[in-house]
Amino acid sequence: PRAAATLGIQIPRHFLQLKRQHADAAMRWRLGTRALFESAFAAGYTVVNITDDPDQPELLARYTLVPGA
């Protein structure tokens, strides 16, 4: 990630339901978001908020990360 940018990381809104119904898909989400968070944290980002994703609020939530907070 670039240090001047605000980042958004999407997660399934109903992750536990996804995990029960589609364990493989849930694992892919978990591993993918883990990699994104680890990369962002290593670059000095901090999570400042979690909100509905404005593009798909019924499906996704979004973590907002900012550098150096």
Side-chain angles (χ1 to χ4, degrees), residues 6-57:
T6 298
L7 301 177
I9 297 177
Q10 296 172 313
I11 61 164
R13 184 165 198 51
H14 304 288
F15 185 80
L16 293 178
Q17 180 181 351
L18 175 66
K19 186 176 175 182
R20 282 191 302 272
Q21 295 176 349
H22 305 284
D24 290 343
M27 182 59 72
R28 286 191 301 274
W29 269 99
R30 185 173 301 258
L31 294 175
T33 55
R34 177 189 297 165
L36 292 171
F37 279 111
E38 286 176 349
S39 177
F41 294 152
Y45 281 78
T46 302
V47 173
V48 294
N49 201 5
I50 183 170
T51 58
D52 293 337
D53 188 295
D55 296 325
Q56 295 184 322

